[in-house]
Amino acid sequence: MTSTETRSETRPSARGTAADTVRQILVLVTSLLAIVAAFIGSGAAGGTPIQDAAGGWLDADSTLIAPARSAFGIWSVIYTGMLAYAIFQVLPAQRASARHRRIGYAVAASLVLNAVWIGVVQLDLLWASLPVIVALLVVLAWLFVQLRRMPPSGVVDAVVTDGSIGLYLGWVVVATAANATAVLQAAGFDGWGLPAEAWAIGVIAAAAVVGVALALWGRGRIAPALSLAWGLSWVAVGRLTDEPASASTGIAAAIAASVVIVVTLVARIGAGRSTRDDRGVGTSGHG
């Protein structure tokens, strides 16, 4: 596919359809649903705070992989970003955008899954939260692939669409790791004789590998790296300053966060140089 064809794919066609309107409204409604669910999950409107629900297994001091409580403030940024995306994509100018047509229903699915996750946790169904968050991670990974294949139409699209979904993805990588660890420990998993810290460091390393893969394949997309490194950094803070204390786990999490950021920056610089080289070749070819 040529760059001209790729750009034309992201441009809106002359006219939208009734299906486009349905998709736009669905994304907007599900973004509001996710915010309402988060409001309930915060303990308001009669809900149980997430850290107190499901036997407290999702609290900051439940497992070695649990981020410190301050880390969860990122959800406010993610919800704001997803609402901004919902408003952006509902604008008339975006109605027939091929890019939003491609990702719209998957975005809506991610927001519904988010609300469902909060719902099952509110019902103390810790075991059910894991398949839900794994499904959410899969959907967000698919969205990341689509956004990489279909470049944004401009700066606003890049910030609102790619930035919001990227932050969402990076954080859910860490949240999935923490959720899986909580489910296993609650089920009585004994680590097959290996120390808990060894498992924790292994899980952290796996999250870092995902972050590095996103950085390399995404050519240095910043948003996923920022939220993933944010989560890992707060795992480090939690283990170094709170219970359960573990210096080795905290140091591993700090190193993992640094690796994700450094690789992302290197990948972004390399992508920038490659783009400039391609432009140079194109210019010289027309000379």
Side-chain angles (χ1 to χ4, degrees):
M1 181 181 291
T2 65
S3 58
T4 301
E5 290 171 333
T6 301
R7 285 193 298 272
S8 66
E9 251 195 10
T10 64
R11 292 173 183 164
S13 56
R15 299 174 62 184
T17 66
D20 290 319
T21 301
V22 171
R23 184 198 70 250
Q24 288 177 301
I25 293 173
L26 181 64
V27 172
L28 183 59
V29 169
T30 53
S31 70
L32 296 174
L33 170 66
I35 291 172
V36 170
F39 184 67
I40 294 172
S42 69
T48 303
I50 294 296
Q51 65 268 21
D52 297 329
W57 281 104
L58 298 172
D59 201 354
D61 59 0
S62 60
T63 72
L64 291 174
I65 305 298
R69 283 193 181 183
S70 296
F72 298 94
I74 196 174
W75 274 119
S76 297
V77 179
I78 292 171
Y79 287 129
T80 299
M82 295 309 295
L83 179 60
Y85 169 73
I87 293 170
F88 174 68
Q89 62 85 42
V90 85
L91 297 175
Q94 305 302 321
R95 187 182 185 203
S97 164
R99 197 173 200 238
H100 300 310
R101 281 174 171 168
R102 178 80 62 86
I103 69 172
Y105 285 107
V107 170
S110 76
L111 294 165
V112 170
L113 285 167
N114 195 321
V116 170
W117 184 89
I118 292 173
V120 298
V121 171
Q122 289 290 302
L123 294 172
D124 291 331
L125 300 174
L126 179 64
W127 62 270
S129 68
L130 183 56
V132 174
I133 201 169
V134 168
L136 174 57
L137 179 59
V138 170
V139 171
L140 291 173
W142 184 88
L143 284 168
F144 183 78
V145 171
Q146 303 312 308
L147 294 177
R148 173 68 176 78
R149 290 175 175 171
M150 301 181 74
S153 58
V155 174
V156 174
D157 192 14
V159 172
V160 173
T161 305
D162 299 64
S164 299
I165 293 173
L167 285 175
Y168 197 0
L169 170 60
W171 172 253
V172 169
V173 170
V174 177
T176 302
N179 200 154
T181 304
V183 169
L184 287 172
Q185 285 198 211
F189 179 64
D190 63 3
W192 295 322
L194 292 175
E197 290 180 329
W199 279 100
I201 292 171
V203 171
I204 288 168
V209 168
V210 173
V212 168
L214 291 174
L216 296 177
W217 194 83
R219 303 187 72 191
R221 297 286 178 99
I222 295 295
L226 287 178
S227 54
L228 203 159
W230 169 271
L232 290 173
S233 296
W234 282 105
V235 171
V237 171
R239 301 295 69 77
L240 295 172
T241 65
D242 199 1
E243 297 298 328
S246 172
S248 59
T249 303
I251 292 170
I255 292 172
S258 301
V259 168
V260 170
I261 291 297
V262 169
V263 172
T264 300
L265 292 176
V266 171
R268 190 169 186 85
I269 292 169
R273 287 177 177 172
S274 177
T275 300
R276 287 194 296 272
D277 289 345
D278 289 343
R279 288 173 180 170
V281 171
T283 303
S284 62
H286 290 291

